[in-house]
Amino acid sequence: MQTTPTTCNDLELKIKKAFSELKPEESTIAALLSKVELYSLEKLLLTKYKTWVGDRRLRYDPFTIIKSILYKELKDIKSFGSLISHLKRRPEEAKLLGYKDGTLPCQQSFSVMVNERIDDEIESIIDFMAKRIREIAKEEGKLLDIDFAEDKNLGKKCEKTIKRHVDKEGTKVIRLLREEIFPTLALPLNCKARYCKDNLLDLLAYVAYNNTFANQGYQLMRDEKEFKDNVPHARTMLGYLAKLESEEIKEMFMAAFERIYKIAKARGLLSGPVDLAIDYHDWLYYGDKTDKMVVGGEYKLGTCKRFRFVTIKIAEKYGDFTLLALPVGVFTNEREAVKTLIEYAKNKVDARYFYVDRGFYSAKFISLFDEMGIKYLMPGVKTKRVLRIMKRSSPPAVVEMKLRSNDDKYLARTKLVVKRDHEGKDVAFITNLPTLMLYTANLFRLYGKRWNIETGYRVKKHEFRPNTTSKNHKIRCFYFMFSTLLYNLWVITNAMLSQYLFGEQVEYRLITAKMFMKKFYEAFINYSP
């Protein structure tokens, strides 16, 4: 029997209301279910179960029993015996479900309820609620089933205790983030494919963890008994990646970044004004310079060729969280690409300052920054003109400048600021920040937020990015985006753990990049509800 539309609509409104009342620190399914009102089902339940009160086996509130069954469904707990054990270990969650005195039903009570009392209509109601809770949680970026440790103030605990908490809670967070993010990566598998999408992504994550090539990763993974029967060949994985169109890769990872953004925002990590950084990232290339999406640059480590990406990141103390990344080729309109990044970021966060790499020192980009109405800060490029101004200026000094593009298409006004660092050296900055602020603010401290991104890029390169010699720009693009995705997950994992275990963001990483990658693929194997 199907639920009536009226019942469904009423329940959906109740669920949405419960989500709106859920605070960022309330991360459990039990907390959500405690806010869901089921009084619209009262008439239905009273009609069906007139003898409920007289049955000693069913002495619990019917709403509490239904919430418990719904809790079991959402937590993917296999049996009622496991549910009872689970709630005994979590008395606070049992109280949220309605067991105020801490007394739980026995397995027989649940069995009587399911076998004798729940008909097709009530079962369809529970299925509908479970489905809508999952869908709404996904839309709003809420991870509901993270059971964080009750003791959140671990500042005075010994190192061994902190490590144990981090290990336990970190595994839960990583598993849930993986469950949420992997479905957004829609690889083009046909209906007769031997391996599923998760098998391909598991191999890719394993290759990234070992920072090796696809063929070597395939051989190593086959040697591990947990993966032995579900390891696609490296050629299979690379073949699927090569089939993707560039636009498909872009849309796929935009959806993944969007999902992580929603999770971070739901956790209160992106509240208030934030500083952003715009950067180029180069992946050195030793193949033919005429290969697609290969660009030129300064000679470095034996080559002047590279694949290039432009990114926009949040530069805060919990990490350089990447909002969006785009590939840049010879024929890419870089001004439009940067404009896309800025527009995307301004729609997502309350942007305060933009820290920009010196590669954007040109009238083309500075005029764009002015058009977009953003406050930017970048290091000065030591051209003859800049050196001449620095020579005749006594720091601190602010000099108005005009920049014009070679084709006279763009004209920009900016300020050259000369400051003296702690070593007594004169340093130049290019900015449009208010003049009074330029004399009083510590520009070195402000721009120092962007220097952390350089460290992040090295971590991303050495800990998260698979190696490859492929000339296919689509494989290279997927690898870069995938490493950026893993880096974001690592940043969010540490931020969430820090928030819940210490009540604030700590200055160091609770989980190292290597440990994160190890847990990332081990979490699914070792997890059992």
Side-chain angles (χ1 to χ4, degrees), residues 103-220:
T103 305
L104 298 172
C106 63
Q107 191 166 347
Q108 183 189 14
S109 297
F110 280 117
S111 298
V112 170
M113 178 65 181
V114 173
N115 298 327
E116 298 181 15
R117 302 288 176 162
I118 289 188
D119 59 11
D120 292 342
E121 185 173 3
I122 299 298
E123 186 176 353
S124 64
I125 288 173
I126 294 174
D127 290 342
F128 170 79
M129 292 181 68
K131 179 181 178 183
R132 286 303 294 145
I133 287 173
R134 287 192 180 103
E135 291 173 350
I136 295 171
K138 188 172 183 179
E139 290 169 6
E140 298 191 7
K142 295 183 182 292
L143 294 179
L144 293 174
D145 45 356
I146 301 179
D147 304 323
F148 283 106
E150 292 180 12
D151 184 5
K152 298 177 183 179
N153 186 14
L154 300 179
K156 296 182 180 180
K157 300 289 184 180
C158 68
E159 184 178 344
K160 187 176 180 180
T161 303
I162 293 175
K163 185 177 180 180
R164 186 176 69 252
H165 277 279
V166 168
D167 185 67
K168 180 181 177 182
E169 310 303 335
T171 300
K172 295 177 185 177
V173 175
I174 291 167
R175 180 184 65 83
L176 289 165
L177 287 173
R178 173 180 167 139
E179 283 182 330
E180 290 291 323
I181 303 304
F182 264 33
T184 62
L185 303 179
L187 297 179
L189 304 182
N190 59 55
C191 59
K192 295 182 180 180
R194 177 181 175 184
Y195 300 101
C196 67
K197 179 181 68 175
D198 281 350
N199 295 144
L200 298 174
L201 295 176
D202 279 337
L203 174 58
L204 187 56
Y206 189 86
V207 172
Y209 165 61
N210 287 280
N211 199 228
T212 187
F213 297 89
N215 283 321
Q216 294 174 344
Y218 162 72
Q219 295 294 340
L220 289 171

Side-chain angles (χ1 to χ4, degrees), residues 377-526:
L377 178 67
M378 73 172 77
V381 179
K382 293 185 178 180
T383 61
K384 291 181 180 179
R385 181 186 181 188
V386 170
L387 290 172
R388 187 167 60 249
I389 294 174
M390 290 178 66
K391 187 175 182 179
R392 67 170 184 246
S393 302
S394 177
V398 179
V399 180
E400 299 281 345
M401 288 181 62
K402 285 184 181 180
L403 295 176
R404 189 186 301 273
S405 60
N406 292 333
D407 57 3
D408 291 334
K409 187 176 180 180
Y410 302 107
L411 175 65
R413 296 177 181 271
T414 188
K415 299 169 186 173
L416 174 66
V417 184
V418 182
K419 288 266 191 174
R420 185 159 291 165
D421 64 14
H422 66 281
E423 294 179 353
K425 296 180 181 179
D426 291 349
V427 180
F429 291 95
I430 304 295
T431 183
N432 65 347
L433 294 175
T435 302
L436 180 61
M437 178 181 175
L438 297 177
Y439 282 107
T440 58
N442 186 340
L443 299 186
F444 298 101
R445 180 182 59 81
L446 285 177
Y447 197 76
K449 290 185 176 182
R450 192 203 150 273
W451 290 330
N452 292 331
I453 290 177
E454 296 296 331
T455 302
Y457 178 64
R458 288 193 295 271
V459 172
K460 193 183 303 177
K461 175 181 177 182
H462 296 293
E463 303 291 352
F464 296 116
R465 196 177 71 195
N467 286 333
T468 184
T469 56
S470 175
K471 292 186 175 184
N472 191 310
H473 72 282
K474 291 182 286 188
I475 292 176
R476 294 262 185 168
C477 182
F478 195 98
Y479 273 18
F480 179 86
M481 295 294 191
F482 189 72
S483 66
T484 302
L485 178 66
L486 292 175
Y487 185 85
N488 274 357
L489 292 175
W490 176 56
V491 169
I492 291 299
T493 297
N494 277 288
M496 290 169 64
L497 286 175
S498 179
Q499 180 183 26
Y500 281 89
L501 296 179
F502 295 94
E504 61 181 0
Q505 295 301 322
V506 295
E507 297 296 330
Y508 59 92
R509 300 295 192 200
L510 295 171
I511 292 183
T512 64
K514 207 69 175 176
M515 182 57 69
F516 170 84
M517 288 303 301
K518 188 174 186 292
K519 288 180 176 292
F520 189 78
Y521 68 82
E522 283 184 348
F524 261 33
I525 302 166
N526 298 328

